Amino acid sequence: MEEDGSNSNRRTSGRTRKVASKMVAALASSDNRTQAALARLDALENDNAGFEVVDPNLDDDEASLDDDDQVYMQRKQSKGTKRKTRQAKALEARKAPRTFLELLHDANLESLPPHVPTYWKAAVGPPSSTARRHFCTVCGFSANYTCVRCGVRFCSNRCQNVHNDTRCLKFVA
Amino acid sequence: MSSSTQVVVLDNGGGLIKAGFGGERDPSTILPNCLYKPLTSKKWLHPNPINTPSSSSSSSSSEQDLTSASVRRPIDRGYLINPDLQRDIWSHLFTSILRINPSQSSLLLTQPLFTLPSIQHSLHQLVFEDFNFSSLFVADSPSLVHLYETSQRPNGLLSKAQCSLVVDSGFSFTHASPVFQNFTLNYAVKRIDLGGKALTNYLKELISFRSVNVMDETFIIDDVKENLCFVSVDVDKHLNLARKSGKDNVFKCSYVLPDGVTHTKGFVKYPEQASRYLADGKDDIGDHEEISKQQPQDNRHKVDLTKNEFDLTNERFLVPEMIFRPADLGMNQAGLPECIVRAVNACHPHLHPVLYESIILTGGSTLFPHFAERLEKELRPLVPDDYRVKIATQEDPLLGVWRGGSLLASSPDFDAMCVTKAEYEELANSHKWRLGEKVVGVANATSVQMESY
Ligand SMILES: [Zn+2]
Ligand SMILES: [Zn+2]
C-alpha cells in the first residue's frame, strides 16, 4: 500500500494545479460574484475523473482547499495496483497531462502575425445584445432577483430560501 | 483491396471515436473516447463500443454498470491533452476492436481546426512512432462533411456552388465553418465554447440542484439528455406551459435511475408521456387520458417507489437553449445564429448568399428535436431579406464526418495525399519540423480535386 507521499503523485498535482488556477482567479477578483461565475463556467468542462476535479457542487461544502483527507481518499481509490519507485513517480509527474488552457498559453499564439488564423481569433466573440435572460437557479423560471452574496438568480422567496439553505456560494472554492 | 493499402478512417472525437475502413458506408465501431472506473473497481476500464444500427445484433456482450463511474478523457476542450491515455485507447481500438496491423495501414485522422503545433506533434508521434502507421492524412471535419454532402447530391446547389456552411456542434464545442472548393476557410471559422459535454454537465447541475444528486453520473445524464432534451422554438411560451401542474404540463416526465439490481441502466419512465411535447401543448386531452390508462400496464411502473427517479420539466429545453444563448449561462459569447452570421461575414461577399442557402448541421448536439427549426427562426431576421436561408441536417449527424473521410480515403488520389512514415522521419530528423507541420497540416489536406465524385 502506498500510505506515504500523498502529495507526490500526479493526481494530487493535477488537483493542486486546478485549485491554484482557481485561486488566481479568486485573487484577481475581489468579487465573489465574478469568482462564482468563473468557477461555474469552468465546472461545465469537468469530467468526474474522481481525483482532479474540484467538484463545486458537492452538497457538503467539502471541495475546498484544505480537504486533505478527501484528496487522500480519492487518491487511494484511484491509484493503480502497481507499486512505483520514487523515480518512476517523478517521471510520471513530469509527464502529467496538462490542461488545454496551459498548452494554449505555452503556444504563445499572440506572437503570430495578425493575418494568421488561430484558436483565439476563431472565438465567436461577445453577443451583440447584452440582454441576458435570467432563469431561477432553483426552479428554472424567469428570475428577477439576485443573491447579494453570490450573484446567482432566483425568482421568489421560496426559491431564495432554498438557495440560501443549500447552494449559496457553492461555486466559490 | 489488399491489406497493404487498407485505410483506417478515424474520426477522433472528444466524446466518441468513430473508426472503420475507407470505402465503407459506416464505421465499424463507435467507441467512447475515454476510460472509466466503476465504483467497485480499482482499475480503469475500456467502455464497450456503442451499438450502431448496423451492428446491433450481438455485440452488447457484457453489460457495463456505469453508475457513478469516474471518467478520464484524453481530450480537453476539443484538443488532445493526454497522449498517453489516447495511446491506451487507440491500442485497444486497433488490437481488440478493429484488429488491424497499423504498419500495413494508412490512417486518415480528423484533427480539430486550430490544433496547436505542440498537439499536432504529439499526434504525429502517436501515429508514426507509437503505432507505426505506414502513412497519414490529416483532415478537418467541415471539409469532410462538405465532401460527403456534395457526393450525395451531385446536382445540388452545394455541388454547383462548391461551397457550404458547416455547423458542427459536437461534444467539446460548436463551429460554424465556411467551406469553399473543399477547403475550410479557416480565417472565417467561428467557434462557441459549448458542446454536448457542457450541456450534460449543466443538466447534471440542474437535476442535482432540484431533485437528486447526479453530479457523478456522466453516463446516465448523457442518456437523459439524449432522450429527453429538445430545443424550444418559443421559450417564453414553453416556460409558461412548464408551470402547469399535473397532466396539463406536457413537458413533465420521469426518468428512473439504475438501481444496480434489476437494471443497470436508467430509462425514461413513460416514453409516450415524455414525447407529448412534440404536439406542442395543443389541448388534445383525449391523448392524455389514453396515456394515463396505459401507465399501470407498463412493467417498468413497478420499479420506482424509492428516491430512484426524478422529474424533469423546463430543464428539458433550458439545457440545449444554451447553444442559442450562451450569455444566459454567463458566458461572454454570442449564440449560434450570430455565430453563423459572423462566419459568413468573414467571407467574400459573393459567397454570402450561397452560404446562407447551404447550411449543413452536423454533430451530436444538433440531434435535439427542433434544433434546425429554432435556428432558422432566429437566423432569418439576421440575414438580408433577399437571401434565402436553407438549413439541412445531415442524415446521421454523428457519422457525417466519418463518411466523408471514408469517401476521401477511397479516392484514387488518396495515397498521393498522404505523408509516409519515411517522409515523416526525414522531416523529423532534419529538424524541419515546422515544414513538417505544413506538409501534414490541415491546409493542404483538401486541396485535391474531387471531380471523381
Ligand atoms: Zn424559482
Ligand atoms: Zn447566493
Side-chain angles (χ1 to χ4, degrees):
Chain A
M1 297 293 278
E2 294 181 324
E3 239 73 75
D4 62 330
S6 57
N7 290 316
S8 67
N9 83 4
R10 72 190 213 188
R11 293 175 179 122
T12 315
S13 72
R15 182 188 169 88
T16 311
R17 207 163 45 235
K18 215 153 195 167
V19 174
S21 72
K22 202 168 282 208
M23 282 185 66
V24 170
L27 291 171
S29 127
S30 54
D31 177 358
N32 269 345
R33 293 190 192 188
T34 316
Q35 224 186 102
L38 286 175
R40 180 168 183 229
L41 287 177
D42 202 42
L44 286 179
E45 293 298 328
N46 278 350
D47 293 314
N48 51 330
F51 41 83
E52 61 181 9
V53 176
V54 179
D55 185 342
N57 301 298
L58 289 174
D59 264 330
D60 36 23
D61 249 6
E62 264 186 341
S64 55
L65 299 172
D66 52 6
D67 55 348
D68 283 332
D69 284 352
Q70 202 185 352
V71 173
Y72 176 67
M73 294 269 293
Q74 286 170 334
R75 194 188 68 84
K76 212 171 150 187
Q77 267 178 19
S78 59
K79 79 176 154 67
T81 46
K82 278 176 282 180
R83 180 185 292 272
K84 294 199 179 80
T85 64
R86 184 171 291 258
Q87 216 169 13
K89 276 187 195 166
L91 195 69
E92 200 175 71
R94 210 180 313 138
K95 283 173 69 186
R98 316 179 59 211
T99 68
F100 174 67
L101 296 177
E102 288 167 329
L103 293 173
L104 187 61
H105 178 259
D106 289 354
N108 194 19
L109 298 178
E110 297 80 358
S111 69
L112 292 171
H115 64 272
V116 179
T118 64
Y119 177 84
W120 289 121
K121 285 172 199 150
V124 66
S128 60
S129 154
T130 51
R132 177 179 171 186
R133 296 171 302 177
H134 293 283
F135 301 112
C136 175
T137 48
V138 180
C139 70
F141 295 109
S142 237
N144 293 321
Y145 309 101
T146 305
C147 173
V148 287
R149 285 196 292 168
C150 72
V152 146
R153 290 282 178 144
F154 52 87
C155 71
S156 60
N157 265 333
R158 198 183 130 265
C159 288
Q160 182 181 19
N161 290 336
V162 179
H163 171 79
N164 288 344
D165 290 351
T166 61
R167 54 199 77 160
C168 189
L169 292 179
K170 188 155 290 187
F171 289 108
V172 185
Chain B
M1 196 184 280
S2 79
S3 64
S4 61
T5 58
Q6 179 183 56
V7 183
V8 174
V9 176
L10 178 50
D11 179 13
N12 199 49
L16 296 174
I17 289 175
K18 283 73 67 176
F21 301 100
E24 299 194 348
R25 175 180 156 80
D26 284 328
S28 315
T29 191
I30 301 176
L31 182 71
N33 199 357
C34 65
L35 296 184
Y36 79 102
K37 188 166 66 65
L39 276 181
T40 52
S41 170
K42 284 183 173 166
K43 281 160 90 180
W44 290 94
L45 307 172
H46 291 285
N48 284 339
I50 289 166
N51 291 335
T52 55
S54 51
S55 71
S56 57
S57 50
S58 60
S59 52
S60 62
S61 47
S62 58
E63 281 282 297
Q64 293 178 316
D65 187 357
L66 299 171
T67 308
S68 304
S70 303
V71 191
R72 295 177 68 198
R73 304 184 195 274
I75 289 180
D76 175 31
R77 287 162 171 82
Y79 297 94
L80 179 72
I81 57 156
N82 191 338
D84 293 342
L85 187 53
Q86 190 68 78
R87 188 194 303 116
D88 279 1
I89 295 168
W90 281 4
S91 181
H92 173 69
L93 170 72
F94 298 145
T95 311
S96 307
I97 300 178
L98 294 181
R99 299 172 195 281
I100 54 148
N101 181 350
S103 65
Q104 289 172 357
S105 314
S106 292
L107 179 67
L108 187 156
L109 176 67
T110 60
Q111 177 178 279
L113 294 159
F114 313 110
T115 297
L116 303 170
S118 61
I119 296 174
Q120 290 183 28
H121 186 75
S122 307
L123 276 167
H124 296 159
Q125 281 183 326
L126 276 178
V127 170
F128 286 122
E129 294 173 24
D130 291 313
F131 290 102
N132 275 308
F133 274 97
S134 66
S135 63
L136 169 68
F137 180 82
V138 175
D140 66 297
S141 308
S143 61
L144 295 180
V145 169
H146 174 85
L147 177 64
Y148 181 73
E149 289 300 313
T150 49
S151 79
Q152 294 300 100
R153 279 172 285 280
N155 298 314
L157 174 70
L158 228 62
S159 308
K160 284 183 188 142
Q162 276 301 302
C163 86
S164 59
L165 186 96
V166 176
V167 174
D168 186 348
S169 188
F171 181 76
S172 310
F173 37 36
T174 299
H175 283 103
S177 312
V179 181
F180 182 55
Q181 291 178 342
N182 292 317
F183 267 109
T184 298
L185 304 179
N186 58 3
Y187 57 84
V189 169
K190 296 294 169 206
R191 178 192 70 248
I192 301 171
D193 294 321
L194 269 181
K197 180 180 185 179
L199 297 186
T200 295
N201 278 338
Y202 183 47
L203 183 57
K204 275 189 203 171
E205 193 187 298
L206 293 180
I207 296 169
S208 300
F209 268 5
R210 293 172 192 176
S211 9
V212 43
N213 187 350
V214 290
M215 288 313 291
D216 291 332
E217 307 301 343
T218 301
F219 295 98
I220 295 168
I221 302 307
D222 262 342
D223 185 61
V224 175
K225 179 187 74 176
E226 286 161 18
N227 284 293
L228 292 174
C229 284
F230 64 94
V231 173
S232 166
V233 287
D234 187 339
V235 178
D236 290 335
K237 180 180 151 198
H238 287 169
L239 274 174
N240 279 329
L241 281 175
R243 279 177 181 278
K244 297 193 176 181
S245 55
K247 284 189 296 185
D248 293 334
N249 186 338
V250 291
F251 303 121
K252 193 162 180 176
C253 61
S254 309
Y255 188 88
V256 181
L257 291 164
D259 63 1
V261 182
T262 57
H263 53 289
T264 54
K265 286 198 169 112
F267 55 86
V268 178
K269 199 168 177 192
Y270 305 119
E272 309 88 345
Q273 178 196 36
S275 52
R276 277 191 303 164
Y277 74 91
L278 290 169
D280 204 13
K282 290 174 194 105
D283 286 324
D284 37 11
I285 294 157
D287 278 6
H288 301 182
E289 304 281 21
E290 207 170 304
I291 286 159
S292 44
K293 268 183 230 143
Q294 285 170 3
Q295 284 171 358
Q297 291 162 5
D298 190 332
N299 281 338
R300 289 172 161 178
H301 187 57
K302 292 167 192 154
V303 176
D304 76 278
L305 300 173
T306 57
K307 182 82 174 136
N308 247 346
E309 60 178 73
F310 56 83
D311 287 345
L312 290 178
T313 54
N314 57 27
E315 301 85 357
R316 296 178 68 186
F317 55 89
L318 288 179
V319 167
E321 185 65 19
M322 294 306 130
I323 291 183
F324 292 86
R325 301 282 186 88
D328 291 347
L329 266 181
M331 289 178 79
N332 192 24
Q333 295 202 326
L336 187 54
E338 271 198 272
C339 181
I340 291 173
V341 171
R342 288 175 194 184
V344 170
N345 285 343
C347 298
H348 193 283
H350 287 163
L351 291 179
H352 295 189
V354 245
L355 286 172
Y356 283 124
E357 212 172 325
S358 316
I359 299 172
I360 306 169
L361 300 184
T362 191
S365 296
T366 66
L367 284 167
F368 294 114
H370 301 164
F371 191 101
E373 202 182 333
R374 167 70 180 277
L375 180 58
E376 177 157 4
K377 188 182 167 191
E378 285 202 17
L379 183 58
R380 181 66 262 184
L382 303 178
V383 175
D385 286 345
D386 48 337
Y387 295 169
R388 291 185 62 202
V389 170
K390 194 157 167 279
I391 302 171
T393 306
Q394 277 209 298
E395 186 191 337
D396 193 333
L398 284 178
L399 302 184
V401 172
W402 190 91
R403 285 177 179 162
S406 174
L407 201 59
L408 186 60
S410 60
S411 95
D413 304 321
F414 182 74
D415 280 348
M417 290 151 54
C418 288
V419 170
T420 65
K421 184 168 159 63
E423 286 166 338
Y424 164 82
E425 279 165 352
E426 201 178 311
L427 288 164
N429 291 337
S430 63
H431 302 287
K432 289 181 188 163
W433 188 248
R434 290 209 165 273
L435 177 63
E437 276 152 18
K438 280 183 196 145
V439 173
V440 194
V442 169
N444 296 333
T446 38
S447 61
V448 188
Q449 295 298 305
M450 301 303 303
E451 288 106 329
S452 52
Y453 300 102

